[in-house]
Amino acid sequence: MPIEIPSGLTPELVPLSWLIGEWEGRGRLGAGEAGDEHFVQHVVFAHNGFPYLQYTADSWLSDENGNRLRPLSTETGFWQLDRPLQDADGGPGLTPADIVPAYKSADEVETLRNSQDGFDITVTILHPGSIAELYYGQIKGPQIQLSTDAVLRGAHARDYKAATRIFGLVNGDLFWRWDVAAGESPLAPHASAILHRTSSPSAAQPPTE
């Protein structure tokens, strides 16, 4: 199915544009085997004129029919292309960016394409409990692969050392899987889900006031 690209989208978000919108669906904890718990998740990828997407994901434990039982978790973060900083970029802190974006056209963004014919991306995700993940990876068409470069843990955070995430758009639905390593254990299935789009990309814009 065709991918809708919102009008006025910052050019360097075009490779990520198929994520934009609201998604909701159901998943399973662990490897999704018999006895693994069910959950419902609502995800938003929003844009507001900056060269990154704002991400939120709220999850609830559910029964096998998708009826919500109680809150499970929430996470929030930012998704963007991994590319060198330009003079036009803002930061740190409240230092404003130039009015004209660093990459002004789709042709300029194409110069960022990597040797695998995709785009390098970076994702920062924050969790309650004093945990933050920094991922690097690649987006290639409707597929994303991410691996943690660093996991920041507070003094009283749960043990957690690495993770990988994969996302894919299949027949208009968002499929994802998350593997986690804790302690001395290797990466193991943590959760997976299939989400259905519930709003158009043009609707996914955070309030400006």
Side-chain angles (χ1 to χ4, degrees):
M1 62 182 298
I3 296 172
E4 177 186 348
I5 298 178
S7 60
L9 189 67
T10 303
E12 65 186 272
L13 289 183
V14 170
L16 295 160
S17 61
W18 58 268
L19 288 167
I20 297 172
E22 295 190 49
W23 306 81
E24 189 161 311
R26 296 160 58 182
R28 300 286 297 275
L29 300 181
E33 299 175 346
D36 288 339
E37 294 186 277
H38 298 255
F39 67 93
V40 171
Q41 186 177 63
H42 181 82
V43 169
V44 178
F45 288 94
H47 68 99
N48 59 3
F50 292 106
Y52 53 78
L53 296 181
Q54 292 178 248
Y55 161 79
T56 58
D58 297 308
S59 304
W60 298 261
L61 284 174
S62 72
D63 62 22
E64 61 183 13
N65 296 316
N67 298 306
R68 297 179 186 183
L69 302 177
R70 59 183 175 88
L72 175 60
S73 72
T74 188
E75 59 182 27
T76 187
F78 304 94
W79 296 55
Q80 61 194 95
L81 296 187
D82 181 35
R83 47 82 167 172
L85 285 176
Q86 306 291 326
D87 290 340
D89 292 316
L94 297 180
T95 305
D98 286 351
I99 294 175
V100 178
Y103 293 82
K104 298 178 286 296
S105 69
D107 287 340
E108 291 185 6
V109 174
E110 279 296 310
T111 66
L112 298 173
R113 197 175 286 275
N114 62 30
S115 60
Q116 288 78 47
D117 199 33
F119 293 90
D120 296 328
I121 63 173
T122 180
V123 176
T124 305
I125 297 179
L126 307 177
H127 303 262
S130 304
I131 292 177
E133 302 165 308
L134 173 62
Y135 288 92
Y136 286 101
Q138 174 178 258
I139 182 167
K140 185 176 181 180
Q143 297 180 337
I144 296 172
Q145 294 184 326
L146 300 171
S147 297
T148 50
D149 179 72
V151 176
L152 177 65
R153 298 170 50 242
H156 303 292
R158 291 189 180 277
D159 193 5
Y160 179 19
K161 66 179 183 180
T164 61
R165 302 198 194 206
I166 58 174
F167 297 79
L169 189 67
V170 181
N171 295 324
D173 291 332
L174 181 61
F175 286 60
W176 66 256
R177 171 175 165 151
W178 182 10
D179 289 2
V180 166
E184 299 302 318
S185 300
L187 286 167
H190 179 67
S192 60
I194 302 174
L195 309 180
H196 314 292
R197 189 184 292 279
T198 61
S199 76
S200 67
S202 59
Q205 300 187 35
T208 57
E209 296 181 356

